[in-house]
Amino acid sequence: SEEVTKINPRGQVPAFKHGNVIVNESLAICLYLEQTFKGQGTALLPDKPAELALALQRAVEAQNIREKALGTLLMYYYSTKPEDRDETVVEEKKKGFHEELKRWEEYLKDQDGSYMAGKAFSLADAAVFPFLASLVRFGFRLHDKYKRLGNYYDMLKDRPSVQAAWPPHWKDTPNQEMLKDV
């Protein structure tokens, strides 16, 4: 829309304006808000260096979910007619998709089933959760294949901050089924 393009010349969301400051891209927005409102609300960055390193690593690493799950597989489904899909390509993309989700399932195992980078909500969770929510939105049965990720999803989706940011059209329309058989 024209309103978004005024803030972000790429015309992409998220686009954020705070006073005269414009920040685009989710991770940059989260870091800006953390710095600007430090001490208010939920801290996204831990104070201890090792915990901070893990939170930052997981937050940046979350892009792999977008690329390997949403980017490659979902985009292939969207851009290729069902009758034109090459099953070998589909299986290769599914393999990469599941390898990535298995990695995140293990991360939760290492964290004793709590948050992505420790026992408290952090930037890592703010980065990972939207991608998982998108997978569920597109019909992926997260709970059936990845128990820890499913439980993690359930824990985060009920947070007031997540509910406040939930896309309005997701609240009153059914999930799609594009990824239901993945």
Side-chain angles (χ1 to χ4, degrees):
S1 75
E2 186 178 324
E3 185 179 347
V4 172
T5 307
K6 286 180 184 177
I7 298 172
N8 185 343
R10 293 179 188 274
Q12 297 172 321
V13 293
F16 178 78
K17 184 173 182 181
H18 178 242
N20 292 327
V21 177
I22 295 174
V23 186
N24 299 303
E25 301 299 334
S26 300
L27 192 55
I29 292 167
C30 287
L31 290 169
Y32 171 81
L33 291 171
E34 174 71 9
Q35 188 64 39
T36 304
F37 298 101
K38 195 159 191 72
Q40 300 177 42
T42 301
L44 295 178
L45 297 175
D47 291 326
K48 295 180 182 176
E51 292 174 4
L52 173 62
L54 185 58
L56 290 171
Q57 177 182 323
R58 294 287 185 263
V60 172
E61 206 177 350
Q63 296 303 312
N64 288 302
I65 299 172
R66 183 183 74 181
E67 290 173 23
K68 294 181 181 176
L70 294 170
T72 54
L73 182 60
L74 192 60
M75 289 289 90
Y76 186 73
Y77 282 148
Y78 264 117
S79 64
T80 310
K81 294 177 185 177
E83 62 271 14
D84 294 336
R85 291 182 189 147
D86 180 331
E87 251 338 279
T88 305
V89 172
V90 169
E91 289 306 313
E92 181 180 302
K93 291 178 184 305
K94 283 181 181 181
K95 181 181 178 201
F97 174 98
H98 285 291
E99 285 173 356
E100 187 61 31
L101 291 182
K102 285 176 190 171
R103 178 168 285 120
W104 290 92
E105 182 83 354
E106 285 299 309
Y107 288 163
L108 285 174
K109 180 181 175 187
D110 294 343
Q111 291 303 319
D112 198 23
S114 58
Y115 294 95
M116 278 300 165
K119 299 214 180 288
F121 184 88
S122 73
L123 182 64
D125 304 293
V128 169
F129 182 78
F131 297 133
L132 294 180
S134 294
L135 293 178
V136 172
R137 176 68 180 169
F138 285 104
F140 182 66
R141 292 178 170 84
L142 189 62
H143 298 78
D144 292 351
K145 298 184 185 220
Y146 301 98
K147 183 180 178 197
R148 287 183 186 91
L149 282 170
N151 291 340
Y152 170 81
Y153 172 85
D154 287 342
M155 178 177 67
L156 264 63
K157 75 176 174 56
D158 294 330
R159 288 177 62 88
S161 59
V162 170
Q163 285 299 303
W166 204 258
H169 66 282
W170 285 19
K171 293 179 181 182
D172 52 11
T173 58
N175 285 346
Q176 299 178 23
E177 295 194 350
M178 192 166 287
L179 297 177
K180 72 176 182 167
D181 296 322
V182 173

